[in-house]
């Protein structure tokens, strides 16, 4: 399944340029949110989140080059987004990718050669999730301004003792007569219908249940019983790594999380991981359509990508709150799915039958996850003050403007402000 809202570009870094590149991109990361930044993503009407992450080679494979990953969550077709990125950051792209293999020489650089380079190195992801599905960046921003406008209107008027329906009517009159908000007269674009896909999935999956059970039994007997976890403790984490990670954390309502893990050896584990990620991708597109995964309401976008010929797994996430709370939500509400993915990675806490235990060994899991956390050199967010709950609530407010409501429904709607 193709989703044009996640772009990933992976390139090899030139030998000897790793340190200079890290310093350069880290410097861009200090200014990327500024209106006058060299990387002018703030002028984009389609980029939700973007980041650059430098990935070191595997410890036991020094011949493998370092890689630079650019990830962008956006609206619209990939080529159109690539052209926009070039228009917003061509000078920065030249400075960054001149330190990477195969980038056009100075005399050959133009928008077409830059586009061809980025297009050639665009890489697919194995699984993604979108917390605000079917809503463009423009819609998210417009609906935030709608809520702010209504709140200002309510603050400037006294509706004490008025029936809720009268207050709602006054709000509608204000919105529909305010030129900057009159677009809210039109209904929001419809959400994608996915029930047929879910029904088809169940029909296909049902006959596979015996195969899955046998697969899990083999996994338990031949793999899980002999694999050794790292049993890493928080006190053993590298203080230097923690300092670098914390530099890019807790700046806004949202946070970023970049993680790189070694996949356990053997085709059995790799096939298991691919199957789990495919299923997670399908569910993310067709089941988790209300902005939550198993009632976790804090994820904007995430993606999983198998790298290096099946040797490593890259996880990139944009979420609300601290990383401790983020992992805590998964432990409490989505341990089953998280185990299904991460139990295929080296050093992960002991699991039973792929999905059980694992992250419920909280101390070892959080230390393992933090140890696999890699620094994000530059990170951009288009709406740093909005969490997923805000975005979904703003859409609910917009929908309420066009609904006929009785007194109770009107009162419930007004409680959103």
């Amino acid at each position: 399944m193709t989703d044009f809202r996640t772009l990933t570009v992976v390139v090899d870094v030139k030998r000897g340029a790793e340190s200079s590149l890290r310093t350069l991109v880290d410097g861009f990361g200090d200014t990327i949110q500024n209106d006058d930044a060299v990387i002018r993503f703030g002028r984009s009407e389609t980029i939700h989140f973007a980041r650059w992450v430098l990935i070191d080679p595997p410890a036991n494979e020094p011949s493998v080059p370092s890689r630079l990953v650019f990830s962008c969550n956006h609206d619209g077709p990939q080529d159109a987004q690539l052209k926009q990125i070039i228009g917003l950051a061509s000078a920065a792209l030249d400075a960054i990718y001149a330190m990477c293999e195969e980038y056009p020489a100075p005399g050959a650089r133009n928008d077409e050669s830059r586009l061809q380079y980025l297009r050639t190195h665009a890489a697919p992801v194995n699984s993604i999730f979108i917390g605000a599905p079917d809503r463009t960046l423009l819609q998210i921003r417009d609906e935030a301004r709608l809520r702010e406008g209504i709140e200002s209107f309510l603050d400037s008027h006294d509706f004490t003792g008025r029936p809720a329906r009268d207050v709602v009517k006054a709000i509608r009159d204000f919105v529909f007569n305010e030129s900057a908000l009159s677009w809210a007269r039109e209904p929001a674009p419809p959400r994608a219908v996915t029930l047929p896909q879910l029904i088809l999935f169940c029909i296909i999956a049902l006959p596979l249940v015996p195969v899955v059970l046998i697969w899990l039994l083999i996994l338990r007997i031949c793999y899980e019983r002999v694999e050794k976890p790292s049993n890493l403790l928080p006190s053993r984490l590298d203080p230097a790594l923690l300092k670098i990670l914390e530099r890019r954390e807790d700046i806004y309502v949202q946070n970023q999380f970049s993680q790189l893990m070694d996949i356990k050896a053997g085709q059995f584990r790799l096939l298991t991981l691919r199957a789990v990620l495919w299923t997670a991708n399908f569910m993310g597109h067709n089941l988790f359509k209300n902005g939550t995964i198993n009632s976790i309401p804090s994820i904007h976008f995430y993606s999983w990508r198998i790298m290096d010929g099946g040797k490593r797994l890259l996880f990139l996430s944009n979420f609300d709150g601290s990383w401790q709370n983020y992992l805590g939500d998964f432990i409490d509400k989505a341990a089953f799915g998280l185990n299904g993915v991460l139990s295929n990675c080296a050093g992960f806490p002991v699991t039973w039958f792929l999905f059980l235990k694992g992250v419920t060994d909280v101390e070892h899991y959080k230390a393992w996850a933090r140890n696999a956390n890699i620094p994000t050199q530059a990170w951009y967010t288009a709406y740093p003050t909005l969490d997923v709950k805000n975005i979904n609530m703003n859409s609910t407010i917009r929908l309420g403007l066009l609904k006929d409501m009785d007194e109770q429904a009107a009162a419930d709607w007004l409680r959103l402000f």
Side-chain angles (χ1 to χ4, degrees), residues 157-235:
H157 292 74
D158 184 6
F159 291 103
T160 304
R162 296 276 298 274
R165 293 185 70 187
D166 287 354
V167 179
V168 171
K169 183 180 183 304
I171 291 172
R172 284 176 178 152
D173 290 342
F174 159 71
V175 170
F176 295 160
N177 288 290
E178 179 69 31
S179 59
L181 300 175
S182 58
W183 53 264
R185 284 178 173 272
E186 301 297 325
R191 300 287 181 84
V193 177
T194 59
L195 183 59
Q197 292 94 313
L198 286 171
I199 293 173
L200 180 61
F201 176 78
C202 293
I203 292 172
I204 295 173
L206 193 59
L208 296 177
V209 170
V211 176
V212 172
L213 293 177
I214 294 171
W215 191 278
L216 293 176
L217 187 61
I218 295 172
L219 180 67
R220 177 65 193 149
I221 295 172
C222 300
Y223 294 87
E224 291 178 339
R225 293 176 62 186
V226 298
E227 292 167 341
K228 301 296 183 183
S230 67
N231 289 330
L232 184 67
L233 293 172
S235 60

Side-chain angles (χ1 to χ4, degrees), residues 142-169:
D142 281 346
E143 289 176 351
R145 284 192 285 266
L146 174 65
R147 186 203 70 233
E148 292 166 0
I150 294 174
E151 287 177 342
S152 296
F153 172 75
L154 290 172
D155 289 343
S156 62
H157 292 74
D158 184 6
F159 291 103
T160 304
R162 296 276 298 274
R165 293 185 70 187
D166 287 354
V167 179
V168 171
K169 183 180 183 304

Side-chain angles (χ1 to χ4, degrees), residues 59-182:
N60 58 347
E61 295 187 50
S63 61
V64 175
S66 295
R67 293 190 173 92
L68 181 66
V69 176
F70 172 72
S71 177
C72 176
N73 306 114
H74 64 90
D75 303 319
Q78 179 175 286
D79 248 27
Q81 188 57 62
L82 288 172
K83 291 175 182 177
Q84 185 184 89
I85 290 168
I86 292 167
L88 294 172
S90 59
L93 294 178
D94 287 348
I96 291 170
Y97 289 104
M99 300 188 202
C100 300
E101 299 289 354
E102 301 177 2
Y103 196 64
R109 287 175 196 161
N110 53 49
D111 286 353
E112 185 56 37
S113 64
R114 295 183 185 104
L115 175 61
Q116 185 58 38
Y117 179 82
L118 296 175
R119 183 191 289 149
T120 299
H121 292 88
V125 295
N126 295 87
S127 180
I128 67 167
F129 171 77
I130 302 171
D134 308 313
R135 273 161 285 181
T136 64
L137 173 57
L138 287 178
Q139 182 178 343
I140 289 171
R141 285 175 168 170
D142 281 346
E143 289 176 351
R145 284 192 285 266
L146 174 65
R147 186 203 70 233
E148 292 166 0
I150 294 174
E151 287 177 342
S152 296
F153 172 75
L154 290 172
D155 289 343
S156 62
H157 292 74
D158 184 6
F159 291 103
T160 304
R162 296 276 298 274
R165 293 185 70 187
D166 287 354
V167 179
V168 171
K169 183 180 183 304
I171 291 172
R172 284 176 178 152
D173 290 342
F174 159 71
V175 170
F176 295 160
N177 288 290
E178 179 69 31
S179 59
L181 300 175
S182 58

Side-chain angles (χ1 to χ4, degrees), residues 295-341:
S295 74
I296 299 174
S298 59
I299 304 169
H300 291 267
F301 290 85
Y302 73 55
S303 67
W304 300 92
R305 183 175 187 273
I306 296 173
M307 300 184 64
D308 300 328
K311 294 180 180 179
R312 294 196 288 181
L313 178 66
L314 179 65
F315 177 62
L316 304 176
S317 181
N318 305 290
F319 62 94
D320 301 318
S322 70
W323 74 269
Q324 294 97 331
N325 290 337
Y326 178 60
L327 295 187
D329 277 345
F330 272 102
I331 292 167
D332 296 337
K333 302 172 184 177
F336 191 82
L338 196 60
N339 283 337
V341 175

